[in-house]
């Protein structure tokens, strides 16, 4: 049974600013996934609010949107069998302090004492999220 999927990956402003885009792309490509589309974006607040709509009202929502507006984002359309869960595994868990070594967040991220975790990457969390998010970022 084929499970070829596409997912949205974002290298967040901290990853772009720290010149880690290449290292993150390297990990995605080394894993065997394919880049379908790629672009640098200065995201509008409206796009970010829609992207993170599930978190509206949470205490980290406003700091999260401000962080994502703070610099350029590298948006990627990535393809492969089971790539949605595969990229989430490559990224590691949300909190970079405890994300497993070997993952993007575990190897390259840390807590900076801010109101939002700057954890380098976003990856869609389900086929439904991937379809919704890819339509937002690659309309
Ligand atoms: N976030 C945070 N504190 C939290 C939960 C989330 O700073 O307690 C930030 C973090 O940057 C995270 C983003 O909000 O990546 C979206 O949260 P989500 O729970 O969707 O985590 P993800 O899917 O990115 O692992
Ligand atoms: Mg999420």
């Amino acid at each position: 049974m084929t499970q070829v999927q596409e997912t949205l990956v974002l290298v967040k402003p901290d990853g772009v600013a720290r010149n880690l885009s290449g290292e993150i792309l390297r990990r995605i490509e080394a894993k065997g996934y394919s880049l379908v589309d790629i672009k640098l974006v200065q995201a509008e607040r409206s796009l970010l609010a829609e992207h993170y709509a599930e978190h509206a009202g949470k205490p980290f929502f406003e700091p999260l949107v401000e962080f994502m507006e703070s610099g350029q984002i590298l948006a990627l359309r990535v393809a492969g069998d089971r790539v949605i869960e595969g990229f989430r595994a490559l990224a590691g868990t949300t909190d970079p302090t405890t994300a497993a070594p070997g993952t993007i967040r575990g190897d390259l991220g840390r807590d900076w004492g801010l109101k939002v975790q700057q954890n380098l990457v976003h990856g869609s969390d389900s086929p439904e999220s991937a379809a919704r998010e890819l339509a937002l970022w690659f309309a």
Side-chain angles (χ1 to χ4, degrees):
M1 185 180 84
T2 177
Q3 292 197 42
V4 178
Q5 296 176 328
E6 290 188 343
T7 193
L8 176 74
V9 172
L10 301 177
V11 179
K12 296 182 178 184
D14 58 329
V16 174
R18 291 177 57 204
N19 296 325
L20 291 170
S21 299
E23 170 64 18
I24 291 165
L25 282 174
R26 187 194 66 74
R27 290 173 182 231
I28 293 168
E29 291 192 307
K31 180 77 170 174
Y33 298 132
S34 304
L35 301 179
V36 178
D37 205 350
I38 178 168
K39 63 178 174 184
L40 266 177
V41 188
Q42 179 64 56
E44 300 280 348
R45 189 189 167 86
S46 56
L47 169 62
L48 296 166
E50 256 198 272
H51 174 76
Y52 279 127
E54 67 174 307
H55 297 307
K58 295 181 186 173
F60 61 85
F61 180 76
E62 190 56 38
L64 175 59
V65 171
E66 281 177 22
F67 161 51
M68 295 293 285
E69 276 184 306
S70 70
Q72 288 196 299
I73 290 170
L74 188 67
L76 310 167
R77 182 189 286 269
V78 181
D81 293 76
R82 296 174 65 196
V83 68
I84 295 170
E85 67 179 307
F87 179 75
R88 297 276 295 185
L90 279 185
T93 52
T94 306
D95 180 354
T97 297
T98 55
T103 65
I104 293 166
R105 289 163 167 175
D107 285 350
L108 308 176
R110 54 164 283 196
D111 198 307
W112 300 93
L114 304 171
K115 288 180 183 158
V116 65
Q117 293 296 341
Q118 300 198 346
N119 55 11
L120 298 156
V121 288
H122 166 83
S124 307
D125 64 7
S126 68
E128 296 71 29
S129 298
R132 188 183 74 84
E133 294 171 2
L134 285 167
L136 284 175
W137 290 84
F138 290 97

